[in-house]
């Protein structure tokens, strides 16, 4: 029966440390002006010119209120982004934050829809550029344009959109990530002229006459305002692109918040007075209302409005501003989308080929090509600007809501904001209100434009199939390696690792505790040291006392070793007839993530097991019972995981224990690993192409799980075990993995007893529970 365990031992979790030293400016090329330029280039002008007419058609003059409310939501979101971007100044934006706060699977989902969102936004601005370019051609050569058949006119617009996408793709390939400062300055000058001229006309005509079109202000009611908010939220999309390129911003903890707030402030300073002018003096005589005019000219509303109070000069001013604005917004979204794709490729949540860089400019050529080609495909497929705007707004609202949740989780689990990062005020009000508002707008958008929601669901389903079928194994192995190296990952995700360590031999208890500390590091781990006293009703008291003395000594040695590292520990003493059944019962009752067992000398033929922990049949039975990871350590009495510097890991392809192995490698790296070697032993008759594939696979594992630090060997041998044993000479640890086939029987003792017995160094055997659908027999390496 189980005894009463004492309360947990070890120090309480400490406050979250900073994510590292202040980020160096090495490799960072974007200053404050360049970062603000990215935001201004994406926000100002492009969205309002392309979707402003849609907003006025939905809400009438109250479109101004819709834009103001969207600006307030964007400000709340910018506070959250500023905190996360300065806490984790890396390329990738929301994808990086989801990976930190949730899981690699959630990060893939966010990154997948973010990539799609930037592509859809790029489509929106490419089509908007084409619409205004066609309007300019119609004004310049009306006869020629009028003579074009409808299909040819549509083809011309597509050609212009595709050409703009290709042109800016080439610009980005040259390694110029800045925000297009000349275009930004040019369009801001044009906006200033449009606004100033409109205000002058209002003064000249007198408020009563000039502002008459604004009555009634709520021409379409509050429902129209909310609908306009849903369509036009994307017009404030762009400040988060600064977070998307945070890994390239100089002094990110100072420049990123300033650039975000500056770009939003400039956007509001342009949008609100511009809408005020065009919905008042921009409505000519004979037009019933601003909404009626917008419904007649949804794509070129601003050009028509400017011509109403400035004549042809106003028309061309708007055309010039619209062309510049849509081009800068197109460029900004192509840039941000390529950076998200690059970050995902580096984490293997997209194919590794997308991380390829240009040899000279170091621009992510493959990621840029992927985003540009995807944009080109959608340009041909998307029927109109309103559909693109609705889909893009919905996707950005969703990712902004997820970012608010991520900020709340990071701050809550950290016990405060991360040191050195920007701190959003009024926590937790900002992320809670931001999440609620985004959620309400998402619901309204799905109800009013169900096609946008359907498009999002289809895209997510497509991505889930790709991830599960082709990406999950490598992505989750790399994530496990990172989590092993940096316990901060697990803490921010709210995940805790528990390890059950049955103990019997006092001399080996310290070594087991050191391995347990690697598997369950401080602040995120819990170690349960377990002693099983083997006894039944007929066991003599002498044997019970002797077993308890040995067990208490083992528990004491393990506890002292664990407390040295500040590990959270618990002690448990139970009495049972069958120790193996008892270990399985406790592991299931405590719902541990891993069980760590110590092995004595591996038994040779005819030898008896020395203690509970030899490569004998009971271990095979235990493996079949346990639904968690199992590790077995065979090492001397002086073994200490902290002293391991050289590790050899034999492999033979993908196995179910890849993630566990990667986590062990990450933990060893955290403890000072200096040299890692992967080894694949092939039969003597294996063809050269098999050897080449094996070498490539090992090198990929090395890049993913050890950041490329180590060596990969492919050897040929008639006796693979003898080859592994020979190459293990000079290493501090040999790590072996074995797959537990579903429904089958582990042959651990038969396959590994010889290797453990002959190995010149300590051996750590790792085993992951079988998948739901078996893959076949066990493979020892």
């Amino acid at each position: 029966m189980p005894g009463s365990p004492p309360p947990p031992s070890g120090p309480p979790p400490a406050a979250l440390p900073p994510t590292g030293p202040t980020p160096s400016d090495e490799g960072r090329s974007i200053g404050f002006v360049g970062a603000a330029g990215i935001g201004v280039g994406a926000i100002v002008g492009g969205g309002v010119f392309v979707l402003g007419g849609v907003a006025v058609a939905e809400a009438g003059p109250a479109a101004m209120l819709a834009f103001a409310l969207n600006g307030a939501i964007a400000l709340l979101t910018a506070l959250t982004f500023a905190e996360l971007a300065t806490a984790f100044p890396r390329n990738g934006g929301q994808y990086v934050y989801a990976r930190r706060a949730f899981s690699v699977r959630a990060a893939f989902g966010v990154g997948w829809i973010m990539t799609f969102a930037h592509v859809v936004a790029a489509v929106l601005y490419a089509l908007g550029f084409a619409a205004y370019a066609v309007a300019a051609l119609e004004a310049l050569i009306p006869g020629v344009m009028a003579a074009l058949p409808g299909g040819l006119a549509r083809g011309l617009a597509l050609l212009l959109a595709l050409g703009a996408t290709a042109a800016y793709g080439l610009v980005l390939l040259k390694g110029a990530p800045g925000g297009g400062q000349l275009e930004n300055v040019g369009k801001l000058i044009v906006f200033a002229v449009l606004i100033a001229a409109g205000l002058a006309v209002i003064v000249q005509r007198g408020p009563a006459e000039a502002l008459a079109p604004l009555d009634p202000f709520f021409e379409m009611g509050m429902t129209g305002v909310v609908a306009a908010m849903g369509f036009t939220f994307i017009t404030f999309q762009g400040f988060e692109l600064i977070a998307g390129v945070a890994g390239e911003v100089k002094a990110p903890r100072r420049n990123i918040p300033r650039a975000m707030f500056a770009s939003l402030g400039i956007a509001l300073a342009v949008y609100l007075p511009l809408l005020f002018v065009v919905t008042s003096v921009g409505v000519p005589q004979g037009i019933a209302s601003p909404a009626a005019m917008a419904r007649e000219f949804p794509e070129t509303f601003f050009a028509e409005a400017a011509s109403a109070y400035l004549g042809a000069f106003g028309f061309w001013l708007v055309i010039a501003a619209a062309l510049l604005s849509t081009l800068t917004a197109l460029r900004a979204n192509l840039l941000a989308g390529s950076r998200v794709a690059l970050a995902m490729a580096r984490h293997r949540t997209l194919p590794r080929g997308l991380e390829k860089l240009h040899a000279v400019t170091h621009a992510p050529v493959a990621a840029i090509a992927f985003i540009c080609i995807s944009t080109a495909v959608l340009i041909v497929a998307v029927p109109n600007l309103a559909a693109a705007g609705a889909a893009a707004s919905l996707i950005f609202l969703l990712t902004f809501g997820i970012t608010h949740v991520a900020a709340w989780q990071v701050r809550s689990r950290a016990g405060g904001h991360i040191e050195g990062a920007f701190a959003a005020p009024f926590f937790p009000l900002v992320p809670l209100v931001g999440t609620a508002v985004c959620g309400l707008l998402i619901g309204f958008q799905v109800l009013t434009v169900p096609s946008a929601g359907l498009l999002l669901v289809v895209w997510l389903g497509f991505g889930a199939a790709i991830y599960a079928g082709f990406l999950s194994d490598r992505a989750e192995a790399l994530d496990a390696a990172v989590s092993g190296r940096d316990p901060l990952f697990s803490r921010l995700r709210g995940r805790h690792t528990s390890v059950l360590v049955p103990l019997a031999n006092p001399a080996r208890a310290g070594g087991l505790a050191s391995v347990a500390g690697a598997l369950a590091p401080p602040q995120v781990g819990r170690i349960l040291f377990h002693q099983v006293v083997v006894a039944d009703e007929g066991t003599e008291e002498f044997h019970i006392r002797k077993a308890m003395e040995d067990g208490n000594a083992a528990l004491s040695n393990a506890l002292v070793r664990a407390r040295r590292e500040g590990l959270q520990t618990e002690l448990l003493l139970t009495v049972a007839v069958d120790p193996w059944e008892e270990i399985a019962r406790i592991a299931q009752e405590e719902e541990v993530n891993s069980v760590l067992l110590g092995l004595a000398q591996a038994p040779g033929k005819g030898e008896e097991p020395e203690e509970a922990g030899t490569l004998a049949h009971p271990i095979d039975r235990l493996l079949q019972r346990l639904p968690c990871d199992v590790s077995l350590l065979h090492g001397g009495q002086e073994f200490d995981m902290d002293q391991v510097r050289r590790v050899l890991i034999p492999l033979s392809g993908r196995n179910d224990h890849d993630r566990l192995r990667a986590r062990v490698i990450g933990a060893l790296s955290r403890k000072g690993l200096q040299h890692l070697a992967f080894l694949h032993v092939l039969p003597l008759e294996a063809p050269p192409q098999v050897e080449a594939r094996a070498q490539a696979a090992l090198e990929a594992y090395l890049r993913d799980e050890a950041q490329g630090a180590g060596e990969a060997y492919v050897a040929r041998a008639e006796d693979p075990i003898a080859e592994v044993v020979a190459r293990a000479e000079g290493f501090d640890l040999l790590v072996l993995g074995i797959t537990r086939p579903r429904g089958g029987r582990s042959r651990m003792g038969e396959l590994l007893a010889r290797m453990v017995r002959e190995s010149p160094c300590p051996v750590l055997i790792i085993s992951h529970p079988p998948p739901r659908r078996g893959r076949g027999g066990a493979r020892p390496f």
Side-chain angles (χ1 to χ4, degrees), residues 128-165:
F129 163 77
Y132 276 95
V134 169
L137 291 174
E138 288 174 344
L140 289 172
I141 46 173
V144 175
M145 296 300 294
L148 291 178
L152 192 56
R154 163 72 174 163
L156 177 62
L158 291 179
L159 184 62
L160 289 169
L162 293 172
T165 302

Side-chain angles (χ1 to χ4, degrees), residues 261-308:
F261 301 140
S263 59
L264 273 177
I266 292 172
L268 285 170
V270 169
Y271 284 173
L272 298 183
L274 181 65
L275 283 166
F276 175 71
V277 167
V278 298
T279 54
S280 55
V281 295
V283 180
Q285 294 291 333
I287 300 293
S289 68
M293 179 179 172
R295 284 192 288 272
E296 185 176 353
F297 305 103
E299 296 178 355
T300 57
F301 170 76
F302 283 87
E304 299 296 335
S307 64

Side-chain angles (χ1 to χ4, degrees), residues 648-700:
L648 175 64
I649 304 180
L651 295 175
S652 65
R654 189 169 60 185
N655 287 277
D656 295 324
H657 56 261
D658 281 2
R659 275 163 277 182
L660 177 57
R661 180 190 67 240
R663 183 155 59 91
V664 169
I665 292 172
L668 288 166
S669 300
R670 189 180 76 246
K671 288 179 169 290
L673 177 66
Q674 296 176 354
H675 182 77
L676 174 69
F678 281 132
L679 172 65
H680 190 157
V681 182
L682 295 172
L684 294 175
E685 65 277 7
Q689 58 267 32
V690 172
E691 181 176 351
R693 286 197 299 267
Q695 184 69 36
L698 292 184
E699 290 172 356

Side-chain angles (χ1 to χ4, degrees), residues 605-684:
K605 187 174 181 179
E607 294 179 351
E608 294 296 328
E610 178 182 324
E611 66 175 271
T614 55
L615 288 173
H617 180 64
I619 288 231
D620 293 330
R621 287 193 292 111
L622 182 62
L623 286 174
Q624 295 173 27
R625 288 279 314 271
L626 291 175
C628 60
D629 295 336
V630 177
S631 302
L632 302 104
L633 174 67
H634 176 262
Q637 297 183 7
E638 303 301 321
F639 178 80
D640 188 338
M641 197 72 154
D642 288 356
Q643 303 303 315
V644 172
R645 296 294 179 264
R646 294 174 55 83
V647 175
L648 175 64
I649 304 180
L651 295 175
S652 65
R654 189 169 60 185
N655 287 277
D656 295 324
H657 56 261
D658 281 2
R659 275 163 277 182
L660 177 57
R661 180 190 67 240
R663 183 155 59 91
V664 169
I665 292 172
L668 288 166
S669 300
R670 189 180 76 246
K671 288 179 169 290
L673 177 66
Q674 296 176 354
H675 182 77
L676 174 69
F678 281 132
L679 172 65
H680 190 157
V681 182
L682 295 172
L684 294 175

Side-chain angles (χ1 to χ4, degrees), residues 202-515:
I202 292 175
V203 172
Q204 180 185 7
R205 294 181 183 177
E209 177 188 347
L211 302 183
L214 300 181
D215 185 22
F217 185 75
F218 292 99
E219 183 180 351
M220 312 299 290
M222 278 305 298
T223 302
V225 172
V226 178
M229 289 177 67
F231 276 109
T232 61
F233 184 79
I234 193 178
T235 60
F236 286 93
Q237 175 266 334
F239 64 88
E240 84 288 350
L241 303 189
I242 302 169
V245 297
E248 299 171 56
V249 177
K250 298 177 182 177
R253 289 177 171 169
R254 182 180 74 251
N255 286 331
I256 288 176
R258 294 168 59 209
M260 286 183 177
F261 301 140
S263 59
L264 273 177
I266 292 172
L268 285 170
V270 169
Y271 284 173
L272 298 183
L274 181 65
L275 283 166
F276 175 71
V277 167
V278 298
T279 54
S280 55
V281 295
V283 180
Q285 294 291 333
I287 300 293
S289 68
M293 179 179 172
R295 284 192 288 272
E296 185 176 353
F297 305 103
E299 296 178 355
T300 57
F301 170 76
F302 283 87
E304 299 296 335
S307 64
Y309 68 90
L310 283 178
F313 176 69
F315 175 85
W316 287 109
L317 274 179
V318 170
I319 291 294
L323 293 176
L324 290 172
S325 299
T326 51
L327 287 177
T328 56
L330 170 63
R331 171 180 177 157
N333 278 280
L334 293 177
L335 170 67
S338 68
R339 282 359 184 223
V340 174
L342 174 64
M344 294 180 70
R346 286 175 171 169
H347 299 149
R348 303 299 180 254
T349 48
L350 280 181
R352 70 175 73 239
L354 293 180
E355 67 176 333
K356 181 180 179 181
L357 302 180
H358 192 280
V360 178
T361 66
H362 303 293
V365 290
I368 292 171
F370 168 65
I371 296 298
C372 289
I373 292 172
S374 301
T375 301
V377 171
L378 278 186
I379 285 173
V380 178
V382 170
N384 56 63
L385 292 175
S393 290
L394 176 62
I395 294 170
F396 280 110
L397 280 167
L398 177 61
T399 58
F400 286 179
I402 292 172
T403 302
H404 281 300
V405 174
W408 180 81
Q409 285 206 168
V410 168
R411 179 91 74 99
S412 299
R413 290 167 179 167
H417 78 283
I418 291 178
E419 183 180 336
F422 173 84
F426 309 116
F427 181 85
L429 190 61
V430 168
L432 290 178
V433 172
T435 302
V437 172
C438 288
L440 289 173
L441 286 176
I442 288 170
F444 187 85
Q445 186 81 338
V446 169
L447 290 175
T448 55
V449 191
S451 60
L454 179 62
L455 180 64
L456 178 60
V457 170
V458 170
W459 181 254
L460 279 174
F462 179 54
I466 291 176
Y467 180 80
F470 303 100
L471 301 171
S472 61
D473 286 340
R474 282 290 83 211
E476 291 172 19
L478 185 147
D479 187 71
V482 174
S483 299
R485 284 193 297 271
D486 182 7
L488 176 63
F489 256 73
S490 296
R491 183 172 176 185
L492 292 182
R493 290 173 175 178
R495 294 189 175 180
H496 297 274
T497 302
S498 55
V499 180
L500 176 66
V501 187
L503 297 172
N505 188 329
R508 294 188 172 88
L512 285 171
S514 71
V515 176

